[in-house]
Amino acid sequence: DQQVKQNSPSLSVQEGRISILNCDYTNSMFDYFLWYKKYPAEGPTFLISISSIKDKNEDGRFTVFLNKSAKHLSLHIVPSQPGDSAVYFCAALSRVVQGAQKLVFGQGTRLTINP
Amino acid sequence: DAGVIQSPRHEVTEMGQEVTLRCKPISGHDYLFWYRQTMMRGLELLIYFNNNVPIDDSGMPEDRFSAKMPNASFSTLKIQPSEPRDSAVYFCASSFRGPGNTIYFGEGSWLTVV
């Protein structure tokens, strides 16, 4: 049972344009969402997060949007740069349910930025 | 400051052999996680520890998998006997005061079982 889903295994975007990565979740108890970025032969690294009390969080070129009613979040990268080429993982957890503080990841989306 | 350190980085072993993956978390972190990455399922949580105590091992696929954390600076993930379907990248990660805070990953152990 995949509680966090990234339905696009890959995405290709032109340099300078906007990259939009999507993520859906099924567990309504999730209240904290994160994006991790992974380069080949390295471990994932934290990129940006959002709490369920917000619908948007921005950090430089990266913005995460949360639509709780649709159980959907997205990561926008503007403008996209070649160094953004990586695998992006969406993750979620519930911080309020005792004993359930597990960070659940999606399958990942491979983003390729073309020069 | 050193990050999460995993060993070995690469392991090729024959089916039926025992595999032991090792992890040293970031000093001062009280949570340690073992994840497995596959193409189909992405990053799956296998088990996590808090203050060296296993809290949730519901992600451990079978009895062939076991994990220990004898002290705050060392953990092992053991597979015995190994099977080809265990081939994956295994990540160890640690955090301070829970997964609600930033989790730091090691570089992973690439396991191939032939």
Side-chain angles (χ1 to χ4, degrees):
Chain A
D1 179 28
Q2 200 76 17
Q3 297 186 68
V4 178
K5 298 180 183 179
Q6 295 175 254
N7 292 317
S8 297
S10 63
L11 176 66
S12 187
V13 174
Q14 204 72 22
E15 181 179 359
R17 307 294 290 268
I18 183 172
S19 294
I20 300 177
L21 295 96
N22 294 304
C23 177
D24 298 295
Y25 62 95
T26 58
N27 190 337
S28 58
M29 298 303 295
F30 287 148
D31 59 2
Y32 192 60
F33 305 89
L34 307 90
W35 286 92
Y36 275 74
K37 177 179 179 179
K38 183 183 178 305
Y39 291 118
E42 295 183 9
T45 55
F46 170 74
L47 184 59
I48 192 169
S49 63
I50 187 168
S51 166
S52 60
I53 62 173
K54 295 184 175 181
D55 55 17
K56 176 183 174 181
N57 188 29
E58 191 172 350
D59 183 3
R61 297 185 298 114
F62 302 90
T63 303
V64 56
F65 295 92
L66 176 62
N67 182 334
K68 290 186 290 294
S69 60
K71 294 190 176 67
H72 177 84
L73 64 156
S74 61
L75 174 68
H76 293 211
I77 307 174
V78 182
S80 300
Q81 299 175 354
D84 297 329
S85 296
V87 176
Y88 289 79
F89 289 97
C90 171
L93 83 155
S94 169
R95 293 183 294 181
V96 298
V97 178
Q98 282 293 329
Q101 290 197 354
K102 298 191 291 188
L103 192 58
V104 180
F105 283 84
Q107 304 96 313
T109 297
R110 181 178 301 278
L111 175 65
T112 302
I113 305 300
N114 302 308
Chain B
D1 194 14
V4 177
I5 300 172
Q6 292 186 245
S7 65
R9 287 299 311 278
H10 299 272
E11 174 97 6
V12 180
T13 190
E14 291 185 346
M15 183 174 64
Q17 295 298 306
E18 177 180 293
V19 174
T20 299
L21 308 178
R22 299 173 179 80
C23 175
K24 176 179 169 57
I26 293 173
S27 176
H29 282 190
D30 54 350
Y31 280 78
L32 183 139
F33 310 86
W34 282 100
Y35 281 89
R36 176 172 69 175
Q37 183 188 6
T38 61
M39 288 292 292
M40 291 297 295
R41 301 183 64 85
L43 280 164
E44 296 177 273
L45 178 64
L46 301 177
I47 185 171
Y48 78 93
F49 296 82
N50 176 216
N51 291 323
N52 314 336
V53 176
I55 302 301
D56 188 331
D57 65 354
S58 60
M60 296 286 261
E62 300 170 32
D63 291 345
R64 298 185 295 106
F65 286 69
S66 62
K68 293 182 179 179
M69 192 166 185
N71 58 63
S73 59
F74 184 66
S75 177
T76 60
L77 178 67
K78 187 173 294 187
I79 308 172
Q80 166 64 18
S82 58
E83 297 182 2
R85 60 193 169 121
D86 301 330
S87 298
V89 184
Y90 291 81
F91 288 101
C92 177
S94 69
S95 74
F96 178 59
R97 296 176 67 179
N101 295 313
T102 302
I103 292 179
Y104 295 86
F105 284 80
E107 293 185 321
S109 292
W110 294 66
L111 174 65
T112 302
V113 183
V114 297

